[in-house]
Amino acid sequence: MSNSKIGRNSPCPCGSGKKYKNCCMALEEAAGRNTRPFDQYSQLIATIKVKLDQHYKAQIRKVRKPLQEQFMRLCTAPLPQEQESVFSDWLWFDAIDSEGVTMGEEYLRENADYMDASMRQCLQGLNASYLSLFEAIAMEADNLRVRDLITGREESVMLRGPLDQEIIEKRPLLCGRLVRMPQGAIFSGIVLILINDAGQAEFITNHIQYLQHLKPDQDTETLLRNHGEILFGIFEHTSHGAALNLNDVRVLRLGDAGAAPISILGQSPDFRPTHAAGGIRWYDLGDKQGNARIGAGAGFIVAYAGLLHDLLRLEDCLNTLFPGGDWEVVSSLFRFQSPAPEFEDIWYKVIKDQETERWLHTVHHELDDRTPAEILTEGRGRERLGAMLDSFKEQASGNQYSEDLINYMRERISQ
């Protein structure tokens, strides 16, 4: 069908409940009057977003808060008002329902026959779009030449007007959603800008490569389409200069390898023995006390790291010591899920070790504003910490996890 078959006083096919003449007809006519491709596509995109916002108004009201929490789960601060459109685009074109369909895809499926060809093409472009990271290269008239730092693709993007040359010379990073249309590409909504003057691009792309290793079954574009909130969270951390704790835990199952792993780790100059607790002999990676650690248990080796550069160094060392090892990722910040049942016991041991490490190096008021690690170096320090743990146990009131953790702490300070 075409728009001419819709009466002016008929209900608008977008589902807003308004008459066609008071809704999408005016928007579509405005889009048709624009001659510049940028103006035309900008109006088409705005029109489609109005349609989606009206059509799914009741549904969005119900899911907006939980989905915004999902979108922001890696971020360090609330979503700024000026960045709301980034979330809205993700909500319409990335977030899927129980059947694996986005709002944009559902709307196209239900209303394609009622849409003008240009509107339909635009919605198809939006449905195929995804958030990515671009480097600005040069201005070409009103078009900006960019390189997608994740896919490697170069293309020209239409802008309202040319960017200042001084900005281009700084090769800024752009985080945005590129919509590819018949006459060229255009950004949908707001574009976040970050100057790449201290390795910001490398920080972001390295973390995306880490995500790719976690999701080897997804090609790059599918990965970005499925995990736009992760890229947004990484970009947000980068813009605030904040570290990103991946909390990566992985395991190598050894079968009946006996004491061989302990012997190998003990002879390695890369690892420093620290303690044994919970049936695991632990080693720190160099001077990374508690930040990157490997443990040898009965029939397995477990390793964990927080920061990506520590994890990469840890991987290099482990591949040298245990070549060909099939390391299985137990948990990661980017997985947003609990460990598989077969790894729960090992993961639980890691959590207890991490919590104990945090406790040992945290200043406590009841220890005269010193850390337990400092108290351990003093005469009768163990007795003092033992009394502190007794107090903790009384407060635990039968909580099994708390009691297990306290017992683990007690085992640590007894060495």
Side-chain angles (χ1 to χ4, degrees):
M1 296 183 191
S2 68
N3 285 342
S4 61
K5 294 186 179 182
I6 305 173
R8 289 171 53 83
N9 293 313
S10 299
C12 187
C14 77
S16 66
K18 299 180 181 180
K19 292 182 179 181
Y20 179 58
K21 67 181 181 181
N22 297 324
C23 190
C24 294
M25 188 180 79
L27 292 169
E28 290 167 2
E29 288 177 349
R33 287 194 298 268
N34 291 319
T35 56
R36 290 179 65 221
F38 175 86
D39 294 331
Q40 181 181 3
Y41 291 149
S42 294
Q43 184 63 57
L44 287 171
I45 289 173
T47 300
I48 287 171
K49 292 180 180 181
V50 168
K51 286 175 176 280
L52 293 173
D53 199 40
Q54 292 175 340
H55 186 74
Y56 292 103
K57 193 172 187 177
Q59 182 178 337
I60 290 172
R61 189 182 300 116
K62 295 178 181 178
V63 302
R64 186 176 187 85
K65 183 176 180 181
L67 286 181
Q68 188 171 85
E69 290 175 353
Q70 178 181 335
F71 181 71
M72 296 292 294
R73 56 191 168 183
L74 290 182
C75 297
T76 62
L79 183 68
Q81 183 65 37
E82 64 271 17
Q83 296 179 12
E84 279 284 341
S85 66
V86 182
F87 164 67
S88 295
D89 280 1
W90 178 86
L91 176 66
W92 290 322
F93 308 118
D94 290 350
I96 59 175
D97 61 17
S98 58
E99 298 179 358
V101 179
T102 68
M103 292 181 188
E105 291 168 341
E106 182 183 67
Y107 188 88
L108 180 65
R109 184 175 60 196
E110 295 177 353
N111 298 282
D113 290 343
Y114 299 99
M115 300 174 71
D116 177 85
S118 59
M119 294 285 293
R120 187 167 56 251
Q121 288 176 338
C122 187
L123 182 52
Q124 289 169 339
L126 284 164
N127 285 339
S129 68
Y130 49 84
L131 199 66
S132 196
L133 180 73
F134 304 90
E135 180 185 33
I137 299 175
M139 286 300 304
E140 303 167 343
D142 285 346
N143 286 12
L144 177 65
R145 192 74 186 171
V146 299
R147 178 185 298 110
D148 189 318
L149 294 180
I150 300 175
T151 67
R153 183 174 177 173
E154 276 195 28
E155 50 196 312
S156 185
V157 185
M158 293 180 286
L159 299 181
R160 187 178 303 277
L163 288 182
D164 190 285
Q165 185 59 35
E166 291 185 6
I167 296 177
I168 295 297
E169 290 174 356
K170 294 180 180 179
R171 306 295 284 267
L173 303 178
L174 311 175
C175 185
R177 180 181 293 266
L178 204 58
V179 185
R180 295 175 179 88
M181 297 292 287
Q183 296 187 60
I186 184 173
F187 282 115
S188 168
I190 189 172
V191 178
L192 308 180
I193 301 179
L194 183 65
I195 300 301
N196 181 31
D197 58 357
Q200 289 90 340
E202 183 179 14
F203 180 90
I204 297 172
T205 56
N206 284 348
H207 280 82
I208 292 296
Q209 287 172 8
Y210 167 76
L211 176 62
Q212 290 174 310
H213 293 153
L214 292 179
K215 309 282 185 179
D217 57 324
Q218 299 180 19
D219 62 72
T220 303
E221 291 190 5
T222 300
L223 187 83
L224 291 169
R225 188 172 294 112
N226 291 343
H227 303 287
E229 79 281 12
I230 293 182
L231 173 58
F232 182 80
I234 297 170
F235 190 91
E236 194 259 4
H237 271 74
T238 310
S239 63
H240 289 99
L244 193 58
N245 185 358
L246 297 172
N247 200 18
D248 182 287
V249 180
R250 52 190 64 193
V251 168
L252 175 63
R253 294 189 256 207
L254 300 171
D256 300 323
I262 294 178
S263 175
I264 293 173
L265 291 168
Q267 296 174 18
S268 171
D270 296 311
F271 294 97
R272 177 175 56 84
T274 60
H275 61 278
I280 298 179
R281 166 65 67 178
W282 290 101
Y283 301 79
D284 277 342
L285 176 61
D287 59 353
K288 298 291 182 181
Q289 184 170 323
N291 294 322
R293 181 167 281 177
I294 184 169
F300 68 88
I301 296 176
V302 59
Y304 68 79
L307 303 182
L308 182 59
H309 60 78
D310 289 338
L311 176 61
L312 295 177
R313 183 182 167 196
L314 186 63
E315 281 185 335
D316 288 341
C317 295
L318 293 177
N319 289 336
T320 299
L321 294 176
F322 305 99
D326 183 17
W327 290 89
E328 300 173 84
V329 177
V330 173
S331 65
S332 166
L333 176 67
F334 288 173
R335 282 198 166 175
F336 308 112
Q337 62 187 29
S338 301
E342 64 267 26
F343 292 127
E344 284 182 351
D345 183 61
I346 295 175
W347 177 77
Y348 186 41
K349 293 177 186 292
V350 169
I351 294 300
K352 287 191 290 187
D353 193 70
Q354 291 175 324
E355 290 293 325
T356 300
E357 195 68 31
R358 189 175 297 112
W359 171 70
L360 282 169
H361 296 91
T362 298
V363 170
H364 295 267
H365 177 68
E366 54 266 55
L367 298 177
D368 304 323
D369 294 327
R370 286 180 291 171
T371 69
E374 292 171 329
I375 297 298
L376 277 176
T377 64
E378 302 175 355
R380 303 184 65 82
R382 284 183 174 81
E383 289 84 345
R384 186 174 180 183
L385 293 180
M388 184 181 188
L389 294 177
D390 288 340
S391 176
F392 287 170
K393 192 166 187 178
E394 290 178 6
Q395 299 171 22
S397 301
N399 182 295
Q400 188 60 52
Y401 170 75
S402 296
E403 291 184 359
D404 286 348
L405 177 58
I406 291 167
N407 290 335
Y408 188 91
M409 292 174 170
R410 199 182 301 279
E411 186 178 1
R412 284 287 306 273
I413 66 172
S414 67
Q415 299 176 24

